[in-house]
Every structure is written in structure tokens, then in C-alpha cells.
């Protein structure tokens, strides 16, 4: 009972979720993880049409992290609804559909496919994607465009909408406030940091795409700082993401103001990371005298 939460009208067994792109559709992990102990599965990004993704090499391990440029490979939203979702509904975990597009119209098309679909409890907008109608600039770096996209999806969806914020901006709070004003039900922070690695002998980028998204423990201090700033700037729930691999990491995010957390890169090397974090949080709350996880949120002593 200590970890059950209700956010944007949805009840979760706990506030420890998996991050999109790191846990497949959830079913891939079922042989190794008790999905009933996962608060929510944020599925890999869904597009209106199937997508092959980028050419390899598209992943590279870094000190304390990982660079990836998978390119949002997925079988398309219709395949997910028809083939994957019925299987996921056999578990207690909530399902959050991460969606993306290259135009506002593509995002809206995906949202419409999920409208009225039971078993999808919320939508998470990946606004780090390039907006082809605006010269390839990511939706997430422009408050006006981020707001327009959020509003358009809200109008065409019957699900709560979480907007996943990009850290590759000057002031993340400006984007957070813009999407809140546009009707976002929550924000998740942060997406990956843009990075690069070079093979010094081949004198070539280690990622075919040149740049990749940096994730893992290396980005945690940046993520904690941004979650803290966003939580101070908006009234809607903030879901913390970035380098969480232990329950101690998760506690930092809750203290910074997160109402829930997503575990990403840690799933690759420790499939049971979410289960261990849930167990550790319960012990910590009892040890520190908290009766519920909500009491921990933002309970940072700053004097």
C-alpha cells in the first residue's frame, strides 16, 4: 500500500516504471521479470507506419552509459494494438504508449489509432523528434511548437498525455510550462542527451548516424537537476528519468520532486532492476518513517 499511487486519474501498483525503448513491449522481459511488479511499461516508440530504424552500428557503450541511435524502429501502432496489447493485458502493469512522428499530423494519426483502445492507460509524447515541416528542428526545443503538438494530440485522444522533455535545450522549464499550458497531464524528464563517440584508428564516428542519445548513470546528475527545476515550475506530475539503476537513485528523484520514475538503461544489464528498486523503496520508506511514497516527493531539506 505504501507505493500505490494515482496520477492523472490512473491507479498504479507502484511509481517505478520502465522507460520507452529499453524494455521492448514488456513481453520480451516476461521470462526474466515479474511484470505484475512493474508499475507501468512505457512501450517502445510507436509510429503510424512500421519503421526499420537507422543503419548499424547504432549502439555504443560508453563509460557509465550508452550511446544509441536506434532510429525508433517499431512495427507500427496497428500491429501493437492488434498483436501485442492483448498479451500485455494479462498483467497488472499499466501500459503507456510512447508515440512519435515527424509532423503534427503523424502524431495525431497515432493518437487516433489509440483512441478508445482499452488497456492503454496513457500516451507519452516523444517530442525530441525532428519536425520536418520546420526544417528538422526537434519539436522539443521550441516552446511554441511543443505546445501546439501537445494541444493537437490532446484534442484527438481520450488518454492522459505525458510529454517527454528533451534535455537538449537552454531552459527546460520553458518547454515544461508551455506543454502544461497546452493541456499536458504530466511531463517526463529527461530524454537522452545528444552525444558522439569516435574510433581514433578508423577515424570514423562509432555510430553510423554520427550522433546518438546518451543514457545511463553518467547523465543522472543532469537529470536530477532538471527534474528539480521542472517540478518547481509546473503543477502537473513530473516523472523522473535518467540513469536510475538502484533504489537510492530513485529516492534522489522523488526528493527532487518526481511523482514517479522510469528505469531505462539499467534494464539491459539488470532485468530485475525495477523489482529491486520497488523492494528497496519499501524498506527505505519504513526505515525513514514515511507512511506513503507521496510524502517523499519534493521532501528535500534545503536550509
Amino acid at each position: 500500500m505504501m507505493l500505490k499511487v494515482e496520477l492523472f486519474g490512473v491507479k498504479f501498483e507502484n511509481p517505478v516504471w520502465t522507460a520507452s525503448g529499453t524494455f521492448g513491449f514488456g513481453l520480451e522481459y516476461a521470462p526474466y521479470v515479474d511484470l505484475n511488479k512493474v508499475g507501468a511499461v512505457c512501450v517502445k516508440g510507436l509510429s503510424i507506419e512500421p519503421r526499420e530504424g537507422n543503419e548499424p552500428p547504432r549502439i555504443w557503450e560508453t563509460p557509465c552509459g550508452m550511446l544509441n541511435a536506434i532510429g525508433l524502429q517499431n512495427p507500427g501502432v496497428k500491429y501493437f494494438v492488434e498483436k501485442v496489447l492483448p498479451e500485455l493485458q494479462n498483467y497488472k502493469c499499466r501500459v503507456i504508449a510512447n508515440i512519435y512522428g515527424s509532423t503534427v499530423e503523424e502524431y495525431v494519426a497515432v493518437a487516433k489509432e489509440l483512441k478508445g483502445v482499452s488497456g492503454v492507460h496513457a500516451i507519452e509524447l516523444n517530442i525530441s523528434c525532428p519536425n520536418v515541416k520546420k526544417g528538422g528542428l526537434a519539436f522539443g526545443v521550441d516552446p511554441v511548437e511543443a505546445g501546439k503538438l501537445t494541444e493537437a494530440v490532446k484534442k484527438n485522444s481520450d488518454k492522459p498525455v505525458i510529454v517527454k522533455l528533451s534535455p537538449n535545450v537552454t531552459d527546460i522549464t520553458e518547454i515544461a510550462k508551455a506543454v502544461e499550458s497546452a493541456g499536458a497531464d504530466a511531463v517526463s524528464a529527461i530524454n537522452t542527451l545528444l552525444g558522439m563517440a569516435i574510433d581514433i584508428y578508423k577515424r570514423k564516428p562509432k555510430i553510423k548516424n554520427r550522433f546518438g542519445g546518451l543514457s545511463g548513470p553518467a547523465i543522472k546528475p543532469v537529470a536530477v537537476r532538471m527534474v528539480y527545476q521542472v517540478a518547481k515550475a509546473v503543477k502537473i506530475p513530473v516523472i523522473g528519468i535518467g540513469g536510475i539503476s538502484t533504489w537510492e537513485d530513485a529516492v534522489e528523484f522523488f526528493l527532487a520532486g518526481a511523482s514517479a520514475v522510469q528505469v531505462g538503461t539499467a534494464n539491459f544489464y539488470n532485468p530485475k532492476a525495477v523489482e529491486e528498486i520497488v523492494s528497496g523503496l519499501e524498506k527505505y520508506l519504513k526505515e525513514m518513517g514515511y507512511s506513503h511514497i507521496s510524502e517523499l516527493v519534493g521532501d528535500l531539506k534545503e536550509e
Side-chain angles (χ1 to χ4, degrees):
M1 294 297 290
M2 296 177 80
L3 292 182
K4 287 193 176 186
V5 295
E6 183 172 335
L7 299 173
F8 37 83
V10 180
K11 293 179 180 177
F12 298 87
E13 286 295 308
N14 64 67
V16 187
W17 310 345
T18 62
S20 177
T22 67
F23 207 70
F25 287 131
L27 299 174
E28 299 91 331
Y29 275 76
Y32 317 104
V33 185
D34 184 354
L35 294 182
N36 293 314
K37 292 182 180 177
V38 176
V41 172
C42 298
V43 303
K44 66 169 72 177
L46 298 168
S47 53
I48 193 64
E49 298 292 341
R51 183 180 169 102
E52 288 296 320
N54 294 328
E55 284 185 55
R58 55 187 191 175
I59 195 164
W60 190 263
E61 188 174 350
T62 71
C64 294
M66 182 180 78
L67 274 178
N68 94 84
I70 302 300
L72 298 160
Q73 179 177 339
N74 78 102
V77 64
K78 289 181 181 176
Y79 179 92
F80 168 74
V81 171
E82 293 170 9
K83 304 291 186 184
V84 180
L85 191 57
E87 293 293 318
L88 267 180
Q89 288 180 294
N90 292 322
Y91 300 94
K92 285 194 296 184
C93 58
R94 297 308 190 198
V95 176
I96 297 173
N98 181 287
I99 72 171
Y100 71 92
S102 56
T103 63
V104 171
E105 291 76 16
E106 286 184 11
Y107 280 93
V108 167
V110 182
K112 284 181 175 178
E113 289 290 335
L114 296 168
K115 196 171 184 179
V117 175
S118 63
V120 173
H121 302 92
I123 287 173
E124 183 180 60
L125 294 187
N126 179 358
I127 63 171
S128 296
C129 299
N131 181 352
V132 296
K133 288 189 176 179
K134 293 285 181 177
L137 199 66
F139 286 97
V141 304
D142 184 331
V144 174
E145 293 303 314
K148 285 180 181 176
L149 175 58
T150 303
E151 187 176 6
V153 171
K154 279 289 292 182
K155 282 182 180 176
N156 290 279
S157 175
D158 57 356
K159 319 284 185 201
V161 173
I162 306 164
V163 180
K164 189 170 187 177
L165 304 177
S166 170
N168 303 304
V169 294
T170 305
D171 185 353
I172 196 170
T173 65
E174 290 302 309
I175 312 293
K177 288 187 284 190
V179 299
E180 179 184 41
S181 297
D185 298 282
V187 291
S188 50
I190 55 175
N191 210 329
T192 54
L193 287 156
L194 199 59
M196 184 177 184
I198 295 172
D199 185 317
I200 61 171
Y201 295 102
K202 293 181 179 177
R203 304 185 304 284
K204 290 182 176 181
K206 289 180 177 177
I207 297 279
K208 180 82 172 179
N209 204 49
R210 291 191 179 86
F211 307 135
L214 178 65
S215 62
I219 74 167
K220 194 188 87 177
V222 177
V224 171
R225 184 262 296 179
M226 288 188 166
V227 164
Y228 173 84
Q229 290 176 313
V230 170
K232 294 285 187 188
V234 299
K235 294 183 173 62
I236 53 178
V238 179
I239 294 101
I241 320 168
I244 299 169
S245 57
T246 66
W247 65 264
E248 292 96 336
D249 295 333
V251 168
E252 283 193 58
F253 278 85
F254 286 114
L255 288 171
S259 295
V261 295
Q262 293 181 18
V263 180
T265 302
N267 292 313
F268 292 123
Y269 59 86
N270 180 14
K272 291 191 176 292
V274 170
E275 287 187 60
E276 291 172 6
I277 290 169
V278 167
S279 176
L281 281 174
E282 286 176 337
K283 291 176 184 174
Y284 174 81
L285 291 175
K286 289 174 185 173
E287 180 186 334
M288 297 297 287
Y290 291 102
S291 59
H292 192 265
I293 188 72
S294 60
E295 298 169 14
L296 184 64
V297 177
D299 192 29
L300 188 64
K301 312 303 179 190
E302 300 191 64
E303 307 84 43

